[in-house]
């Protein structure tokens, strides 16, 4: 019952080692010259036609098969390959091989025919992270150390968080400081409630003096996005997770169904998975600890509604991940629990509220330093905007 259509496609190598695929659409076709292999790929098993002499041209067609009630069948596809052969010395001479077996990276890479591209590890930096970091680390835990797969995912999560800790520490510190600054920011919001530009200037000044720039807190979060998307590709396609159980999940490569619904909900499915629910709850509490603390008083005109985002992210996790590999949801659940724990430690044991407030007061009393070129330019732009705003108000009167 697992929807494997998103992993079912034709992948092929052409030209001088380039590779491509037909995609997961209802119908797709690709045509290329000098095709050296064609892989009819399903989620965990693949049939691959290899040729020592590249085919002159190949047209590859993939289409979903309609079921008897004319509704789209999301589980099966029909593949069609039109291969053009050419004569050599008046005859056809092709040495070809068939591979029938698992879509397993370790097996496919062993053939040294670029077949590892059949396993979708992601493109660009996402694929590099999976190939050189996530996969070797996960193999070390499971194959070398013999750790059960569910426990290995938890240990992998801890390792990833440790690796990313230098990058994320700045973000955690900024978020914890923002909570301490909340009363001060509340006073600014009340004092300049009728002057949005002045409120913005004073808010930025306080944040800068406390070393809690929102930009410095967001940047580390952006830097971890490649890891997020790499893992999004890794878990659903990891052959080793197939039919491996953990707790209530019978198969870590599929969803962990705890309740079967008598109907189908669009985008959600006909079942309830527990790990996405737990991950959604963890995300909500984490965002409540960070975004929810300051969103009411730091919301600026024209900026996204942070309260909406706070509720949208857990909802997205709950709905979208309901049909994905339970191993992936387990990772995000544990990852967010670790994040919440780190935030609590920083808030209660690392950052001292009196020291942060003393730093702000000291900055207020100290002689103002000459601003840098960028800061001066930004200040000038904001002052001009404020003056223009005041002129507009006078014109209305």
């Amino acid at each position: 019952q697992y929807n494997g259509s998103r992993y079912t496609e034709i992948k092929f190598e052409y030209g001088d080692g380039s590779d491509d695929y037909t995609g997961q659409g209802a119908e797709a076709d690709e045509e290329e010259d000098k095709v050296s292999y064609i892989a009819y790929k399903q989620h965990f098993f693949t049939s691959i036609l290899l040729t020592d002499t590249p085919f002159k041209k190949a047209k590859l067609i993939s289409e979903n098969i309609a079921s008897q009630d004319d509704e789209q069948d999301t589980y099966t596809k029909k593949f069609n390959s039109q291969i053009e052969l050419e004569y050599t010395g008046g005859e056809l001479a092709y040495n070809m091989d068939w591979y029938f077996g698992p879509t397993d990276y370790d097996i496919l890479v062993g053939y040294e025919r670029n077949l590892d591209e059949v396993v979708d590890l992601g493109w660009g930096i996402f694929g590099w992270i999976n190939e050189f970091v996530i996969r070797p680390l996960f193999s070390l835990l499971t194959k070398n150390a013999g750790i059960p797969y569910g426990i290995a995912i938890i240990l992998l999560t801890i390792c990833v968080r440790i690796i990313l800790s230098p990058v994320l520490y700045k973000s955690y510190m900024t978020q914890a400081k923002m909570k301490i600054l909340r009363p001060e920011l509340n006073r600014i919001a009340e004092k300049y409630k009728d002057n949005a530009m002045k409120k913005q200037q004073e808010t930025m000044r306080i944040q800068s003096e406390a070393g809690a720039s929102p930009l410095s807190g967001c940047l580390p979060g952006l830097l971890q996005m490649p890891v997020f998307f790499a893992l999004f590709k890794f878990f659903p396609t990891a052959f080793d997770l197939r039919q491996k159980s953990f707790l209530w999940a019978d198969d870590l490569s599929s969803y962990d169904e705890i309740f079967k619904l008598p109907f189908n909900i669009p985008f959600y499915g006909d079942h309830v998975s527990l790990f996405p629910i737990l991950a959604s709850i963890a995300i909500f509490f984490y965002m409540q600890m960070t975004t929810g603390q300051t969103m009411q008083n730091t919301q600026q005109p024209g900026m996204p509604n942070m309260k909406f985002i706070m509720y949208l992210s857990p909802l997205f996790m709950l709905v979208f991940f309901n049909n994905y590999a339970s191993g992936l949801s387990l990772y995000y659940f544990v990852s967010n629990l670790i994040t919440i724990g780190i935030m609590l430690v920083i808030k209660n044991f690392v950052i001292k509220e009196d020291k942060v407030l003393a730093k702000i007061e000291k900055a207020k009393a100290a002689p103002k330093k000459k601003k840098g070129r960028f800061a001066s330019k930004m200040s000038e732009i904001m002052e001009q905007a404020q003056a223009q705003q005041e002129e507009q108000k006078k014109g209305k009167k």
Side-chain angles (χ1 to χ4, degrees), residues 3 12 46 60 81 83 106-107 147 149 219 223 291 352 358:
N3 186 347
F12 56 95
T46 300
L60 308 169
S81 300
I83 302 171
D106 290 331
I107 294 176
I147 298 172
Y149 285 87
L219 185 58
L223 293 176
T291 309
K352 302 301 181 182

Side-chain angles (χ1 to χ4, degrees), residues 219-253:
L219 185 58
L222 294 176
L223 293 176
Q224 69 171 325
M225 291 303 289
V227 177
F228 176 92
F229 286 110
L231 291 165
F232 182 80
K233 283 289 188 179
F234 172 75
F235 283 108
T237 58
F239 184 83
D240 292 341
L241 291 179
R242 181 175 179 268
Q243 297 182 351
K244 299 298 190 302
S245 62
F246 180 67
L247 299 177
W248 57 85
D250 296 326
D251 188 343
L252 286 168
S253 69

Side-chain angles (χ1 to χ4, degrees), residues 240-395:
D240 292 341
L241 291 179
R242 181 175 179 268
Q243 297 182 351
K244 299 298 190 302
S245 62
F246 180 67
L247 299 177
W248 57 85
D250 296 326
D251 188 343
L252 286 168
S253 69
S254 182
Y255 50 75
D256 55 312
E257 179 183 308
I258 59 168
F259 183 72
K260 184 73 173 179
L261 298 174
F263 48 82
N264 183 72
I265 301 175
F267 304 107
Y268 185 74
D270 59 357
H271 63 276
V272 176
S273 299
L274 183 53
F275 276 131
I277 295 175
L278 296 176
S280 300
I281 294 172
I283 290 175
F284 177 79
F285 278 107
Y286 166 68
M287 298 195 73
Q288 186 67 41
M289 291 173 60
T290 56
T291 309
Q293 294 167 352
T294 55
M295 64 184 177
Q296 294 297 336
N297 301 296
T298 60
Q299 184 72 34
Q300 301 297 330
M303 294 295 288
N305 188 312
M306 298 306 293
K307 187 173 182 179
F308 172 75
I309 294 176
M310 188 182 76
Y311 289 107
L312 179 63
S313 297
L315 182 63
F316 175 82
M317 169 66 75
L318 180 66
V319 174
F320 190 74
F321 281 68
N322 190 60
N323 293 294
Y324 269 77
S326 53
L328 181 65
S329 300
L330 171 61
Y331 170 85
Y332 289 130
F333 170 54
V334 175
S335 179
N336 280 284
L337 285 183
I338 294 173
T339 302
I340 291 172
I342 292 174
M343 284 295 297
L344 291 173
V345 170
I346 290 176
K347 182 175 80 75
N348 294 308
F349 301 103
V350 178
I351 295 182
K352 302 301 181 182
E353 183 172 346
D354 54 345
K355 291 184 178 181
V356 174
L357 295 175
K359 183 178 179 182
I360 296 173
E361 294 301 323
K362 184 179 179 180
K364 288 179 181 179
K368 299 299 181 184
K369 295 181 180 179
K370 185 179 179 180
K371 295 181 180 179
R373 183 179 300 178
F374 178 76
S376 299
K377 188 65 176 177
M378 288 297 296
S379 179
E380 182 182 341
I381 292 173
M382 295 188 72
E383 288 173 0
Q384 290 175 355
Q386 184 177 354
Q388 184 179 4
Q389 189 179 61
E390 291 175 354
E391 287 294 327
Q392 290 175 350
K393 288 181 179 180
K394 290 180 181 179

Side-chain angles (χ1 to χ4, degrees), residues 157-222:
T157 308
I158 295 172
C159 290
V160 170
R161 302 310 288 184
I162 292 174
I163 294 171
L164 292 176
S165 58
V167 177
L168 298 178
Y169 180 74
K170 181 73 173 179
S171 176
Y172 297 148
M173 293 290 284
T174 298
Q175 291 165 0
K177 287 179 180 180
M178 288 296 289
K179 182 183 179 184
I180 297 174
L181 295 176
R182 190 174 6 140
E184 185 75 11
L185 297 177
N186 288 348
R187 286 191 288 270
I188 291 174
E190 180 62 28
K191 183 177 179 180
Y192 300 106
K193 61 183 178 181
D194 297 325
N195 191 333
M197 190 65 66
K198 186 65 175 176
K199 182 174 74 171
Q200 174 80 344
Q201 288 178 316
E202 289 299 304
T203 298
M204 292 176 63
R205 180 183 64 80
I206 291 294
Q207 291 170 345
S208 177
E209 291 172 350
S213 169
L215 180 60
S216 66
C218 293
L219 185 58
L222 294 176

